Structure formats: structure tokens, C-alpha cells
Amino acid sequence: MDVLIVLVLLGLALRALKWRRTAAVALWLAVLLFLATGCGLLPAWLLDSLQGPYARRPAITWAPRNAIVLLGAGAQRAADGTAEPGEPAHSRINEALALYRECKASGMDCRLEVSGGDARHIGESEAAVYAAALERMGVSATDLLLEPRSMNTWQNARFSAPLLHDYGAQHVLLVSSATHLRRASLYFAHFGIVTTPVRSDWLKERMDWWPQSWNFAVTDLALHEYVGVVRYHVYNALGWNVPATEPGAP
């Protein structure tokens, strides 16, 4: 955690300057932050606020034209050289597939949009890699919409919007990790796409008397999401984002 490192360095610098009391405060704050994070208290608080609204799967009423948007979570090369979804992506793929099958069973029109470029530079986009996996699982190629250019969540939303408008989606379900849905939904709304968020996975802290490395990783992930939300609002206030699109506008 960057804040922890900054506190330690600050404390050491102040100690070198012989500001002993201020240095002691900074170092004790670093110790408390280390324990609160590593033992699970801080990540528990961060995750509860971030994931809470998406704990339960929403009740879904299928419209005549539906789009299920699957956001990428990395792709990789296996030992034999084939491209495959990264480990975090499997829960998202499974959830999107379950929704697709449910939609098809309803008799309504369905499209499964896969959004993700080649962010890890493996030579194939996440959209193409995930689409191949979904076809092997029984999804018709004619029901797949591919968005292979995006390198981040903002671009996921920006480049998905024209595809969804062209298809004429009346109901859009957004599939991603519970930690990611607040930021992703916000970005899609900016580009005029009102979504029903559906979580694919759920992160939990590990409460323990002894600091756990897992809790530091989870805290970093959660803080990344909060920073993304705050940055969006700051950029909007400064006029740095492209103008927002009204829902339903092409």
C-alpha cells in the first residue's frame, strides 16, 4: 500500500531531522494501518461499501431485445501457446453464459457482448479469446457482439455504446466482479447506457490476528476502484471527460 510506505518514509525522514515526536506519530500510524489492513478490518470496511449493493442477484424481466455485456478480466498464453481467459475471468464468463441461457429460454432476442482489447499484449484481444470459449460452451456466433479495442473500463463503456445502440438493446445486463460494478456502471451511464449490474464473484477479507498478504492485495484492489470513481467525478467537475450522453441517444 502506497500510504503505508509514505508513512514509514515520512517517519524515518522526520526522525533523521530530529523531529522525534512527529516521527513517532507517523510511525505509529504506519503500524496501526499495517495491522488494520493485514488483520482484515480495513478491507472488510472497504469491501462492504463497495460490493454491498450487488450482493443479491437482481430479478430480471427480459425485454424483446437484450444485451449481456461481459467485461474482460485478462487473457494469457498457456504452456502450449494457446490463448485462454485469465483466471479472474472464469467467474465472469460463467455468469454471462448462465444469463445468456436464461435469456434464450425466455424466447426473447439475446446478444452477448464481450468487451476487451489486448491489454496484456498476447497477440489476441480478450473479446476474441472469450468469444472462442463461449462458442465452445454453446453460444451461437451470431449472438456474439465483439468489442476488441478497449484497454480499460472507460473504453469498455465508450466502445460498447455504439454496438449496443446499433443492436437496439432495450435491456442491458452488465457482468463483472462485485468490486468492479460501481465504477463500470458509472462509466456506462456516462455514455448513455443504463445497465442492470450482475456480479460474477465476491471478494472477502481474511480476518486473523496475524496480518495476511491476501488482505493487502484486496485493499489495493478496493482502493483502485474508489480512486476510479473519485477521479471520474473530479474529471467531470473540471470538464476533462467527454460530454455525457443522454440515455437512449445514439
Side-chain angles (χ1 to χ4, degrees):
M1 286 177 59
D2 293 341
V3 175
L4 184 60
I5 295 171
V6 168
L7 283 173
V8 171
L9 292 177
L10 178 62
L12 294 175
L14 291 170
R15 189 176 180 84
L17 293 170
K18 300 188 184 305
W19 293 4
R20 299 184 185 278
R21 290 185 179 178
T22 309
V25 170
L27 290 172
W28 273 112
L29 283 174
V31 170
L32 291 173
L33 180 60
F34 176 82
L35 292 174
T37 303
C39 295
L41 294 175
L42 180 59
W45 177 67
L46 292 173
L47 289 174
D48 181 64
S49 177
L50 195 61
Q51 299 184 123
Y54 314 108
R56 294 189 178 184
R57 191 173 186 270
I60 299 170
T61 302
W62 299 104
R65 297 175 74 82
N66 306 274
I68 300 156
V69 179
L70 167 60
L71 298 185
Q76 61 193 15
R77 291 283 175 188
D80 63 358
T82 58
E84 61 182 31
E87 183 62 31
H90 292 292
S91 62
R92 298 187 188 186
I93 291 171
N94 289 338
E95 183 61 37
L97 178 63
L99 289 169
Y100 170 79
R101 288 173 174 169
E102 183 180 322
C103 182
K104 295 296 283 187
S106 74
M108 300 299 180
D109 197 63
C110 313
R111 293 291 185 275
L112 204 168
E113 190 226 317
V114 190
S115 178
D118 187 11
R120 298 190 181 176
H121 308 292
I122 66 168
E124 292 185 53
S125 69
E126 293 173 4
V129 174
Y130 293 16
L134 287 163
E135 285 188 56
R136 290 195 299 270
M137 296 175 183
V139 177
S140 171
T142 57
D143 286 339
L144 287 169
L145 300 175
L146 302 189
E147 184 287 291
R149 295 188 293 158
S150 57
M151 296 295 179
N152 52 50
T153 306
W154 181 259
Q155 291 183 355
N156 285 150
R158 180 181 179 182
F159 298 148
S160 292
L163 289 176
L164 298 171
H165 283 303
D166 288 347
Y167 166 57
Q170 297 165 303
H171 189 191
V172 178
L173 290 94
L174 184 63
V175 178
S176 191
S177 304
T179 52
H180 187 221
L181 282 174
R182 177 186 295 185
R183 182 163 63 97
S185 300
L186 186 66
Y187 291 0
F188 271 77
H190 184 89
F191 289 98
I193 306 298
V194 178
T195 62
T196 298
V198 183
R199 71 172 179 90
S200 59
D201 54 70
W202 184 266
L203 280 183
K204 282 288 292 180
E205 73 289 345
R206 295 176 183 171
M207 288 292 187
D208 202 320
W209 292 107
W210 189 258
Q212 302 291 314
S213 59
W214 169 260
N215 290 328
F216 289 97
V218 168
T219 299
D220 272 343
L221 189 150
L223 288 175
H224 174 77
E225 295 301 323
Y226 282 110
V227 168
V229 171
V230 171
R231 181 176 56 204
Y232 168 81
H233 290 296
V234 170
Y235 282 16
N236 258 2
L238 295 173
W240 292 354
N241 287 334
V242 297
T245 304
E246 291 295 324

